[in-house]
Amino acid sequence: MDLYFMPLAGSLAGRIALYAAGAEARYIEVDPNTKRTSDGNDFAEIYPLALVPLLRCEDGSLLGENAAVLQYIANRYPEARLAPIDQIERARLQQWLSFTSTELHQGLFCQLFDQDASEGTRAHALNKSQSRLNYLDDHLSGREFLLDSFTVADAYLYTVLSWSVPTRVPLTPYPSIKKYCRRLRRRPSIAGAFQEEPALYRGQLARHEAGVRPTPWY
Amino acid sequence: MDLYFMPLAGSLAGRIALYAAGAEARYIEVDPNTKRTSDGNDFAEIYPLALVPLLRCEDGSLLGENAAVLQYIANRYPEARLAPIDQIERARLQQWLSFTSTELHQGLFCQLFDQDASEGTRAHALNKSQSRLNYLDDHLSGREFLLDSFTVADAYLYTVLSWSVPTRVPLTPYPSIKKYCRRLRRRPSIAGAFQEEPALYRGQLARHEAGVRPTPWY
């Protein structure tokens, strides 16, 4: 399997899932500015949306969107138990994957990372996010994970919540979210991914002209 | 099963799926302003996010987010073949459900419906949506559905694309999307849902004070 990724982008969730599954995989870096891949191809030709994650499955087919990529990885490595089998529990996993992608990733952080967004966007997105973060905080109160055990939904949620640092989203009003993040960052799959990608991100910054920040990692 | 819905909102996809499955279901209307349900309850107490769709499954558990709700309906009525069983095809369905919810529903239409969004949001969202709509148009060229047959992803995509009318998103540059919409609206499940919900939407408008439009239906 090949995972096309941009350092510290949403594709980090796929890396965490692959690490947690102990899977053999090739990680192909995509430059967010030039869309060139680390193996010398034009990513926009491979995937016209040019979004990560993109997974090349073992049969050669390509799969985009975290909700699909992460469930595919979980299904491919069932012994890692990264997604429930039971139908209602799997539906619950899909609910959290969707909540994370729509309400947090797209609804909050894509707005904050968007350097071309109009003035006032940041304040409005932060304001709207309060009810979502409150809901999440209530859910995580007294729970270790989103579901009963660690799943790919946690890999995705942790990835997205990690963006609260560069975007300066205060998590202090959400003590259960903060505790969840502190617990999760000690897991070997997450610690391993966060040992790998910040260095790649710094390499990406260094490759671009001084003072020109790469397009942020959403 | 009970489907909590707001007329013409994203929950319309659930109604289409239930009609396509020939399922018995109760449809409980939620007022977008007061959050009161048509059976006299406070929706925010039932579901603190107060978003639709919300499905009350037969075991009484509650399920939110279209990607989860729609796959649950498809799994519950397998004879209607509203979602593929094959693993890679199911992953592809999840990719399209996620694309529709993140890039179109949240990334485009939620921005356009948001009356409190800052100035310039509309132009910026329309601009960003072009690559997404081009990608979709290319995919639909020469295809009848998103996958090989009608699935819940089509129910969701059609619902979201129907919002191009009230938000004045021009679809003329996307001839395959336009043809897709024209084909799909003749399907009994979609025609039936669109016979039902506009009248309910008008009823909702009439119940609110003259001149005060209800919160839009995202």
Side-chain angles (χ1 to χ4, degrees):
Chain A
M1 260 195 268
D2 298 340
L3 180 71
Y4 290 92
F5 76 101
M6 296 178 193
L8 299 178
S11 46
L12 183 58
R15 185 188 288 269
I16 293 170
L18 289 164
Y19 285 6
E24 287 277 332
R26 205 158 61 112
Y27 299 88
I28 303 176
E29 187 171 341
V30 179
D31 186 291
N33 286 11
T34 65
K35 311 293 181 202
R36 299 296 298 178
T37 67
S38 54
D39 60 352
N41 291 303
D42 179 357
F43 188 54
E45 275 184 17
I46 297 168
Y47 187 36
L49 281 176
L51 295 173
V52 292
L54 184 74
L55 192 72
R56 191 182 298 277
C57 306
E58 279 141 329
D59 68 355
S61 63
L62 294 167
L63 198 61
E65 299 287 330
N66 255 323
V69 165
L70 293 171
Q71 287 188 82
Y72 182 87
I73 293 171
N75 292 340
R76 175 65 187 74
Y77 300 97
E79 63 288 357
R81 298 173 183 274
L82 294 172
I85 304 295
D86 171 74
Q87 193 165 303
I88 185 75
E89 280 304 300
R90 175 58 74 106
R92 195 73 61 209
L93 176 92
Q94 289 164 348
Q95 175 174 346
W96 284 111
L97 287 170
S98 182
F99 170 84
T100 303
S101 66
T102 56
E103 301 299 335
L104 300 183
H105 186 159
Q106 185 69 237
L108 174 60
F109 290 104
C110 278
Q111 306 296 315
L112 302 186
F113 280 130
D114 187 346
Q115 291 166 330
D116 301 319
S118 49
E119 218 186 299
T121 296
R122 177 180 168 86
H124 187 51
L126 282 174
N127 189 37
K128 278 202 297 185
S129 74
Q130 285 178 20
S131 62
R132 277 61 173 166
L133 291 169
N134 272 325
Y135 173 74
L136 179 62
D137 195 62
D138 282 348
H139 178 74
L140 290 174
S141 163
R143 301 187 62 93
E144 199 169 347
F145 306 108
L146 284 168
L147 304 183
D148 289 340
S149 60
F150 180 79
T151 65
V152 290
D154 295 299
Y156 189 21
L157 177 61
Y158 184 85
T159 297
V160 168
L161 290 173
S162 77
W163 300 334
S164 62
V165 179
T167 56
R168 296 168 290 112
V169 172
L171 292 184
T172 318
Y174 313 106
S176 298
I177 296 180
K178 282 195 77 134
K179 274 187 231 159
Y180 169 85
C181 290
R182 272 201 297 271
R183 273 195 312 275
L184 258 68
R185 77 169 63 114
R186 292 197 295 262
R187 295 185 73 83
S189 58
I190 292 183
F194 274 90
Q195 202 157 28
E196 202 72 25
E197 296 216 356
L200 296 171
Y201 183 71
R202 286 192 297 273
Q204 186 193 98
L205 285 177
R207 279 194 307 277
H208 292 107
E209 293 175 290
V212 179
R213 290 180 64 82
T215 313
W217 56 60
Y218 60 88
Chain B
M1 258 194 269
D2 298 341
L3 180 71
Y4 290 90
F5 76 102
M6 295 178 194
L8 299 177
S11 47
L12 184 58
R15 184 188 290 269
I16 293 170
L18 288 164
Y19 284 6
E24 287 276 332
R26 206 158 60 116
Y27 299 88
I28 303 176
E29 187 172 342
V30 180
D31 185 292
N33 286 10
T34 64
K35 311 292 183 202
R36 298 297 299 178
T37 66
S38 54
D39 61 353
N41 291 302
D42 179 357
F43 188 53
E45 275 184 18
I46 298 169
Y47 186 35
L49 281 175
L51 295 172
V52 290
L54 183 75
L55 192 71
R56 189 183 299 278
C57 306
E58 278 141 330
D59 68 355
S61 63
L62 294 167
L63 198 61
E65 300 287 330
N66 255 322
V69 165
L70 292 171
Q71 288 187 81
Y72 182 86
I73 293 170
N75 293 339
R76 175 63 188 75
Y77 299 96
E79 63 287 355
R81 299 174 182 277
L82 294 173
I85 304 296
D86 171 76
Q87 194 166 300
I88 185 74
E89 281 304 299
R90 175 59 73 108
R92 194 73 61 208
L93 176 91
Q94 289 164 349
Q95 174 174 347
W96 284 111
L97 287 170
S98 182
F99 170 84
T100 302
S101 65
T102 57
E103 302 298 335
L104 300 183
H105 186 159
Q106 184 70 237
L108 174 59
F109 290 104
C110 278
Q111 306 295 315
L112 303 185
F113 280 129
D114 186 347
Q115 291 166 331
D116 301 319
S118 50
E119 217 185 300
T121 296
R122 177 181 169 85
H124 187 52
L126 282 173
N127 189 37
K128 279 202 295 184
S129 74
Q130 285 177 20
S131 62
R132 277 61 173 166
L133 291 170
N134 272 325
Y135 173 75
L136 179 63
D137 195 62
D138 283 349
H139 178 75
L140 290 174
S141 163
R143 301 186 62 93
E144 200 169 345
F145 306 108
L146 285 169
L147 304 183
D148 290 340
S149 60
F150 180 80
T151 65
V152 288
D154 296 299
Y156 189 21
L157 177 61
Y158 183 85
T159 297
V160 168
L161 289 172
S162 76
W163 300 334
S164 62
V165 178
T167 56
R168 297 168 288 110
V169 173
L171 292 183
T172 318
Y174 313 106
S176 297
I177 296 179
K178 282 195 75 131
K179 274 187 232 159
Y180 168 86
C181 289
R182 272 201 297 272
R183 273 195 311 277
L184 257 68
R185 76 169 66 114
R186 293 197 295 264
R187 295 184 72 83
S189 58
I190 292 182
F194 275 89
Q195 204 158 24
E196 202 72 25
E197 295 216 357
L200 296 171
Y201 183 70
R202 287 191 296 273
Q204 186 191 99
L205 285 177
R207 278 193 308 276
H208 292 107
E209 291 175 292
V212 179
R213 288 179 65 82
T215 313
W217 55 58
Y218 57 89

